[in-house]
Amino acid sequence: MRKQLRLSGSGGQGVITAAIIFAEAAVAEGKEAVQSQSYGPEARGGASKSEVIIDDKPIFHPHVIVPDLVLAMTQKAADKYYKDLNPNGLLVLDEQLVPNVPDFPHVVRIPITKLAIEEVGKPLFANIVALGALVRLTGLVSFDTIKQAVAHRVPPHTVEQNMKALQIGWDAADKA
């Protein structure tokens, strides 16, 4: 049941936080999970990626080899990180920020950042909108567990907005 996920975007978009929360939710459900990350040369604005491996068996190699899912929050991230995606995998794109869709058979386009701005009020919630969508698309953890993981990880005064962002992403994935 091993699933390898790669969340990518630019520094500051929160893909690393989203990956950490995803991994924590998997562990809370009794699964094995590892999370790793890397930044481009500039922390903010440079390319960043975070990877999560979830399995029900021990994980001995902590890095994604062939991702089953790639989330790309920017065009640069899409171009750079989708190439080794499993041919049966899923490429999830932020619709407005990735106008040139890579030639891949299984693509889901969701207006992640646009939804964060219009529905929650700030682009900084885009990572949690994306997380809600990824949980629905993968089925790797339950919605209740991801809600608990988000509430545990975000600043207390932002919990309500983050819950809204999570629900918006969950709903958007159903329509995608």
Side-chain angles (χ1 to χ4, degrees), residues 8-86:
S8 62
S10 67
Q13 282 185 306
V15 295
I16 291 167
T17 301
I20 290 167
I21 294 169
F22 209 137
E24 284 181 357
V27 170
E29 290 189 353
K31 297 175 175 93
E32 299 288 323
V34 294
Q35 182 273 330
S36 62
Q37 64 221 18
S38 70
Y39 303 88
E42 324 84 46
R44 272 199 165 311
S48 69
K49 72 172 176 170
S50 188
E51 297 178 332
V52 181
I53 301 171
I54 297 173
D55 203 337
D56 34 22
K57 295 187 212 73
I59 300 164
F60 297 108
H61 182 74
H63 296 288
V64 166
I65 308 297
V66 178
D68 299 294
L69 180 143
V70 170
L71 165 70
M73 300 279 288
T74 64
Q75 187 69 54
K76 187 189 254 183
D79 296 342
K80 185 172 183 177
Y81 295 124
Y82 92 94
K83 292 178 174 65
D84 55 352
L85 183 55
N86 178 332

Side-chain angles (χ1 to χ4, degrees), residues 59-168:
I59 300 164
F60 297 108
H61 182 74
H63 296 288
V64 166
I65 308 297
V66 178
D68 299 294
L69 180 143
V70 170
L71 165 70
M73 300 279 288
T74 64
Q75 187 69 54
K76 187 189 254 183
D79 296 342
K80 185 172 183 177
Y81 295 124
Y82 92 94
K83 292 178 174 65
D84 55 352
L85 183 55
N86 178 332
N88 297 316
L90 186 61
L91 179 59
V92 181
L93 305 174
D94 189 325
E95 197 168 68
Q96 273 72 35
L97 300 181
V98 187
N100 303 318
V101 178
D103 182 22
F104 192 77
H106 313 286
V107 177
V108 172
R109 299 175 75 215
I110 298 172
I112 296 166
T113 303
K114 183 176 185 230
L115 287 169
I117 294 166
E118 292 179 359
E119 305 284 331
V120 195
K122 289 185 180 152
L124 99 105
F125 294 103
N127 65 330
I128 304 300
V129 172
L131 185 59
L134 295 180
V135 167
R136 182 152 210 168
L137 292 168
T138 64
L140 291 172
V141 296
S142 77
F143 193 63
D144 283 341
T145 304
I146 202 70
K147 281 170 47 177
Q148 291 168 5
V150 168
H152 176 257
R153 180 58 70 166
V154 301
H157 69 281
T158 68
V159 170
E160 194 176 319
Q161 288 169 299
N162 277 290
M163 291 302 125
K164 185 176 181 183
L166 202 58
Q167 186 69 54
I168 288 163

